[in-house]
Amino acid sequence: MFETALAHNGLIAILRGLGPDEAEAVGQALYAAGMRIIEVPFNSPEPLRSIETLRRTLPGDCLVGAGTVLRAEQVQNLKDAGGQLVVMPHCDETVIRVAVAAGLFCTPGVATPSEAFAALAAGASALKVFPAEQVGPGALKAWLTVLPTGTALLPVGGITPEGMAPYLAAGAVGFGLGSALYRPGMSPAEVGRRAQTFIQARRSTAG
């Protein structure tokens, strides 16, 4: 399912700061715009309630998960809330293995080739290249010459619609979208418009 959702347009909505009371409306706006992977970071207000709401109100082809997963015990909490995807800012092999054992998809954060290989060996579904500004398209391209064929690299951090092209040319398959897509207090309509802008830019670049 992760591969199918990612192939839709390669974009992951990161809803840092989302509150449970706005989760359904924001989630519906993102889905209508074309987003098929949504994560609520654990350092948001009551993230598990928001994840429960998103999973209950969004169609089954939309993958819902948590970001900023730092500890193995958080994995079971996420699964109990209906979450399907673990996204991490770091490469903790224990967390990756616990997520995989729980039947969840896992995208750990990596910033070096060593971390990338370790994450894949632990069972990562894809790799979150974080922070993208630190790694850059040139390094990402170099990584792909040595990583296993088909490795999905997803730059995260400072991504804008205008800034995607160099990473895509280097071999990235998608992106995690943060504050350029959503910030607390933003209306669902505005979030939906921003999502459409990203999706249009992604498709235009791919074409």
Side-chain angles (χ1 to χ4, degrees), residues 2 11-18 23 26-27 30 35-44 47-48 50-51 54 58 62-69 78 83-89 106-109 128 130 154-157 175-178 181-182:
F2 176 77
L11 303 179
I12 301 174
I14 303 170
L15 305 182
R16 190 176 307 278
L18 182 78
V26 171
L30 287 168
M35 301 295 292
R36 292 298 180 268
I37 305 179
I38 298 174
E39 68 163 273
V40 180
F42 261 125
N43 56 358
S44 302
L48 294 173
S50 294
I51 290 166
L54 289 167
L58 289 173
C62 186
L63 201 67
V64 177
T68 318
V69 179
L78 171 63
Q84 303 150 289
L85 173 67
V86 170
V87 182
M88 305 156 55
C106 186
T107 303
K128 170 183 173 178
F130 178 79
L154 305 167
V156 179
F175 302 90
L177 311 177
L181 173 68
Y182 168 84

Side-chain angles (χ1 to χ4, degrees), residues 90-150:
H90 63 328
C91 179
D92 185 321
E93 295 170 53
T94 298
V95 176
I96 299 170
R97 291 193 176 97
V98 168
V100 173
L104 305 182
F105 303 104
C106 186
T107 303
V110 300
T112 68
S114 294
E115 290 180 342
F117 277 108
L120 291 172
S125 306
L127 302 178
K128 170 183 173 178
V129 181
F130 178 79
E133 303 99 320
Q134 174 182 308
V135 177
L140 186 148
K141 184 176 181 179
W143 289 13
L144 287 171
T145 65
V146 295
L147 290 172
T149 301

Side-chain angles (χ1 to χ4, degrees), residues 183-199:
R183 290 193 301 272
M186 195 176 285
S187 72
E190 177 62 21
V191 177
R193 284 193 292 270
R194 292 186 179 216
Q196 289 174 343
T197 299
F198 271 105
I199 291 170

